[in-house]
């Protein structure tokens, strides 16, 4: 059946020909003699022009009453028309209604985020989730292409595991036939064993963290790609990470320009992404956070927020006045929807104004030794126009497996990559401790059961070599590339600390 249908995205190859498309009503403008239907089919949007004179009378009357998300097939002649959405339209000669959809709950007016999350199964059809979904597809394809074409072997690491890779407090427990096991937080430890077999490996899959933090950067289930390589050093890892991130941004720019434009993304900023990225040590970051430069930056930011607030308030007042005099219902609805959007913006800017002094204080009092907090990362990330590597964190603040630096034992050979524009960490990586005694010491220091780590210690017993890798979070990277404020919009069915609804 699918073979008989033309995709809207292929109309350009079928101008002047008879085509049939299958899809859903996106928008309808019915008139006495002609109906303008905007139809979407998953590949794009297309205006279908239905003239009463050209089709059966009963069908014309039925089509007139079609509302949003009714499904149908449409047959007609494809035409080029620059004024039409997507640049092509169909002069309709026949149609078949498959399912009338009544009172589709998602309307063009704004809805609150809770409503949209509850209706995620339907919201996925809307423009923004569709654009983000298409970009996610490219991103994942680009991730696989990068590693597959650079000599890496894919190894699928397990989801049920017996040991902690990251913070033990963020493990989800599962009853595995009476044996308590965990959902994986990272494929890294198993991947290290595979690296000793293949040399260059990567794993790519869902990852679970029982983090109670309700932030815009945290999901409890997210996708992570993790490469792991032998006989390398930290500089090699940074080089690989910047080549990798550049390659995926380039792929999105190549394949998804239209979606990026629809989302209102700053495309020029993405076009700047190329090696070398900025490199700062953790100690330099602490110096920046506690410097006058950072406090001046935050003061200027606060003034900017206040001026944005004045702007939004002015628009709100104007619209409010307009709504009182509006006569037509469609005009009233449009204003009501714009007012909702502006009120959301106002709340967001108010939160930023409230948080700014607290973040400034946290930064100015930052003490060497702590892990960077979300707001600290945001400040550093806002101060740069390309991703920033932060290297050599304090040993005490980081995971047990990270390699102790040879000349300064207080720090480890690790890095985080912070995306620009305030999006914060998208990659965490490190060289791995390859010395048996030091690793054993770290396992004990963290209070982990050594017997659970015997197989991991074996990798240091039998032919240990320098090795390292990193993990990139798909949703955080997508949030940065699409300019989406909250990563819950960057996965089809987000899992957070809230109840799972669908
Ligand atoms: O920095 P993390 O915890 O590093 C690891 O898991 C290492 N074992 C990876 C490695 O070296 N092979 O996480 C890596 C990335 C983060 O930079 C972030 O992009 C993402 O995973 N991430 C999350 N994304 C969404 N929600 C969460 N709760 C996340 N926690 C980490």
């Amino acid at each position: 059946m699918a073979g008989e249908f033309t995709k809207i995205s292929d109309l350009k190859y079928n101008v002047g020909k008879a085509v049939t498309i299958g899809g859903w009503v996106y928008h309808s403008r019915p008139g006495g003699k002609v109906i303008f239907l905007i139809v979407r089919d998953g590949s794009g949007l297309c205006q279908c022009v239905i003239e009463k004179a050209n089709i059966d009378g009963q069908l014309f009357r039925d089509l007139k009453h079609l509302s949003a998300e009714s499904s149908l097939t449409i047959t007609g002649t494809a035409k080029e028309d620059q004024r039409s959405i997507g640049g092509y339209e169909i002069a309709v000669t026949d149609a078949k209604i498959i399912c009338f959809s009544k009172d589709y709950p998602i309307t063009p007016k704004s809805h609150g985020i809770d409503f949209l999350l509850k209706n995620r199964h339907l919201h996925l059809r809307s423009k923004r989730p569709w654009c983000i979904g298409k970009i996610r597809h490219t991103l994942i394809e680009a991730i696989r292409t990068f590693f597959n074409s650079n000599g890496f072997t894919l190894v699928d690491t397990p989801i049920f595991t017996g040991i902690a890779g990251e913070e033990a407090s963020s493990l989800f427990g599962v009853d595995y036939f009476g044996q308590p096991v965990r959902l994986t937080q990272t494929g890294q430890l198993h991947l290290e064993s595979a690296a000793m077999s293949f040399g260059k490996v990567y794993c790519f899959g869902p990852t679970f963290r029982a983090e109670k933090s309700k932030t815009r950067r945290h999901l409890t289930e997210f996708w992570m790609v993790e490469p792991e390589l032998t006989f390398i050093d930290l500089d090699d890892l940074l080089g690989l990470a910047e080549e990798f991130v550049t390659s995926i941004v380039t792929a999105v720019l190549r394949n998804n320009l239209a979606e990026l434009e629809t989302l209102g993304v700053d495309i020029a900023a993405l076009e700047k992404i190329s090696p070398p990225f900025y490199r700062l040590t953790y100690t330099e970051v602490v110096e920046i956070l506690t410097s006058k430069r950072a406090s001046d930056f935050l003061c200027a930011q606060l003034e900017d927020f206040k001026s944005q607030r004045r702007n939004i308030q002015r628009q709100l007042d104007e619209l409010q006045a307009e709504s009182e005099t509006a006569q037509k219902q469609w005009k009233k609805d449009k204003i009501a929807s714009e007012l909702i959007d502006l009120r959301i913006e106002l709340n967001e800017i108010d939160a930023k104004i409230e948080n700014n002094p607290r973040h400034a204080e946290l930064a100015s009092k930052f003490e060497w030794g702590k892990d960077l907090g979300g707001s600290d990362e945001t400040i550093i990330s806002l101060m740069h126009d390309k991703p920033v590597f932060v290297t050599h964190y304090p040993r005490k603040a980081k995971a047990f497996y990270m390699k102790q630096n040879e000349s300064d034992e207080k720090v480890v050979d690790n890095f985080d990559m912070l995306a620009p524009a305030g999006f914060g960490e998208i990659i965490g990586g490190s060289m791995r401790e390859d010395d048996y005694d030091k690793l054993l010491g770290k396992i004990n220091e963290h209070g982990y059961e050594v017997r659970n780590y015997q197989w991991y210690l074996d990798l240091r017993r039998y032919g240990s070599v320098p090795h390292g890798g990193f993990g990139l979070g798909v949703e955080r990277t997508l949030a940065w590339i699409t300019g989406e404020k909250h990563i819950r919009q960057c996965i089809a069915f987000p899992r957070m600390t809230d109840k799972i609804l669908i």
Side-chain angles (χ1 to χ4, degrees):
M1 181 169 168
E4 298 162 22
F5 290 94
T6 301
K7 283 281 157 207
I8 290 175
S9 55
D10 287 342
L11 287 178
K12 54 178 174 284
Y13 308 120
N14 290 280
V15 174
K17 293 187 194 152
V19 292
T20 297
I21 61 166
W24 298 262
V25 175
Y26 187 75
H27 181 71
S28 168
R29 195 150 50 87
K33 296 208 168 99
V34 55
I35 308 167
F36 295 98
L37 269 192
I38 309 269
V39 174
R40 59 165 196 90
D41 74 342
S43 78
L45 292 172
C46 161
Q47 173 158 275
C48 302
V49 183
I50 307 161
E51 288 189 43
K52 192 174 180 181
N54 294 343
I55 62 166
D56 172 77
Q58 182 56 45
L59 182 59
F60 187 83
R61 282 189 290 282
D62 290 346
L63 288 168
K64 239 175 128 168
H65 295 113
L66 276 191
S67 55
E69 292 306 318
S70 297
S71 50
L72 76 171
T73 65
I74 293 257
T75 301
T77 310
K79 291 185 167 174
E80 189 168 357
D81 189 331
Q82 285 311 320
R83 293 163 306 171
S84 213
I85 195 162
Y88 298 87
E89 62 177 34
I90 297 177
V92 180
T93 52
D94 196 11
K96 196 166 154 223
I97 297 164
I98 302 171
C99 172
F100 277 98
S101 151
K102 247 188 103 202
D103 302 329
Y104 184 67
I106 300 179
T107 59
K109 81 173 174 73
S110 290
H111 295 280
I113 184 66
D114 289 342
F115 176 85
L116 292 177
L117 284 173
K118 234 182 246 165
N119 286 284
R120 188 70 178 165
H121 54 297
L122 301 175
H123 187 217
L124 282 184
R125 306 177 189 193
S126 300
K127 199 162 59 184
R128 246 191 119 74
W130 183 85
C131 287
I132 294 174
K134 293 300 267 189
I135 297 174
R136 183 180 168 113
H137 176 84
T138 301
L139 195 79
I140 288 176
E141 175 88 3
I143 288 171
R144 295 193 194 284
T145 303
F146 180 86
F147 291 116
N148 291 344
S149 51
N150 280 291
F152 286 77
T153 300
L154 173 72
V155 176
D156 297 314
T157 50
I159 286 178
F160 293 129
T161 67
I163 57 176
E166 302 300 321
E167 279 299 307
S169 57
S170 72
L171 283 165
F172 275 112
V174 181
D175 178 354
Y176 191 79
F177 305 115
Q179 179 197 356
V181 301
R182 323 286 193 186
L183 294 183
T184 186
Q185 297 166 303
T186 167
Q188 178 202 318
L189 307 194
H190 293 87
L191 203 58
E192 283 181 55
S193 88
M196 302 303 150
S197 169
F198 299 100
K200 285 162 77 169
V201 288
Y202 75 102
C203 65
F204 192 11
T207 311
F208 305 87
R209 303 260 169 114
E211 281 162 326
K212 290 255 164 67
S213 31
K214 249 191 164 175
T215 79
R216 65 190 172 92
R217 291 181 185 157
H218 287 89
L219 293 168
T220 54
E221 178 180 329
F222 61 97
W223 279 65
M224 177 156 59
V225 59
E226 301 178 82
E228 189 75 27
L229 306 85
T230 52
F231 296 104
I232 45 137
D233 61 20
L234 188 62
D235 267 348
D236 298 329
L237 268 187
L238 302 193
L240 178 75
E242 64 191 357
E243 288 295 336
F244 168 53
V245 168
T246 302
S247 81
I248 58 183
V249 171
T250 307
V252 171
L253 284 168
R254 194 171 50 237
N255 294 303
N256 300 98
L257 216 45
E259 287 83 13
L260 291 172
E261 275 165 6
T262 305
L263 294 171
V265 171
D266 180 353
I267 291 169
L270 287 183
E271 282 169 346
K272 268 203 203 137
I273 306 303
S274 63
F277 295 174
Y278 298 102
R279 285 161 164 73
L280 295 171
T281 63
Y282 166 89
T283 304
E284 286 166 337
V285 165
V286 177
E287 280 162 17
I288 294 175
L289 288 174
T290 51
S291 71
K292 184 163 176 318
R293 187 178 144 211
S295 67
D296 287 350
F297 176 83
L298 287 162
C299 275
Q301 195 194 40
L302 184 60
E303 287 316 307
D304 186 39
F305 289 158
K306 286 181 179 165
S307 120
Q308 285 181 41
R309 190 190 193 287
R310 283 193 294 274
N311 243 328
I312 299 170
Q313 187 64 58
R314 190 172 35 77
Q315 289 177 51
L316 256 173
D317 295 343
E318 283 169 12
L319 260 183
Q320 194 74 52
E322 208 182 322
S323 79
E324 277 151 28
T325 54
Q327 302 289 327
K328 300 236 161 62
Q329 190 54 43
W330 68 265
K331 182 85 180 161
K332 285 186 187 162
D333 290 349
K334 186 166 172 283
I335 294 177
S337 156
E338 285 170 11
L339 281 171
I340 294 175
D341 282 344
L342 281 173
R343 286 198 190 103
I344 292 172
E345 272 185 54
L346 197 70
N347 284 342
E348 284 172 0
I349 204 83
D350 278 344
K352 285 182 184 170
I353 291 172
E354 195 185 322
N355 285 333
N356 175 286
R358 200 163 44 85
H359 292 168
E361 185 174 347
L362 281 174
S364 68
K365 294 198 174 139
F366 193 92
E367 281 172 23
W368 197 100
K370 286 193 315 178
D371 203 354
L372 295 179
S375 63
D376 307 313
E377 286 175 0
T378 305
I379 295 169
I380 297 299
S381 141
L382 278 170
M383 291 170 87
H384 293 85
D385 58 353
K386 281 211 274 186
V388 185
F389 286 115
V390 183
T391 63
H392 301 100
Y393 280 63
R395 196 166 63 89
K396 294 246 157 68
K398 286 294 176 184
F400 78 98
Y401 55 73
M402 293 191 181
K403 186 173 171 63
Q404 192 176 313
N405 182 268
E406 277 186 0
S407 48
D408 179 358
E409 64 172 36
K410 289 198 303 305
V411 301
V412 282
D413 289 340
N414 82 315
F415 74 94
D416 279 351
M417 185 196 285
L418 311 183
F423 281 91
E425 183 199 323
I426 54 170
I427 294 189
S430 73
M431 293 298 294
R432 319 305 187 189
E433 186 52 76
D434 47 55
D435 179 273
Y436 178 89
D437 294 323
K438 283 186 185 158
L439 184 63
L440 182 61
K442 294 286 287 295
I443 291 171
N444 280 318
E445 215 175 88
H446 276 75
Y448 297 155
E449 292 254 22
V450 177
R451 68 190 154 91
N452 291 341
Y453 288 83
Q454 284 304 339
W455 70 262
Y456 188 61
L457 283 161
D458 266 356
L459 308 179
R460 280 73 181 169
R461 278 191 194 103
Y462 306 112
S464 188
V465 295
H467 66 287
F470 58 82
L472 169 135
V474 167
E475 292 76 14
R476 286 203 194 165
T477 308
L478 194 57
W480 160 50
I481 292 177
T482 59
E484 189 58 57
K485 287 187 207 102
H486 202 300
I487 65 169
R488 66 188 161 207
Q489 304 294 0
C490 295
I491 184 161
F493 299 100
R495 299 295 181 237
M496 296 165 292
T497 48
D498 316 74
K499 260 201 201 117
I500 291 177
L501 296 167
I502 53 167

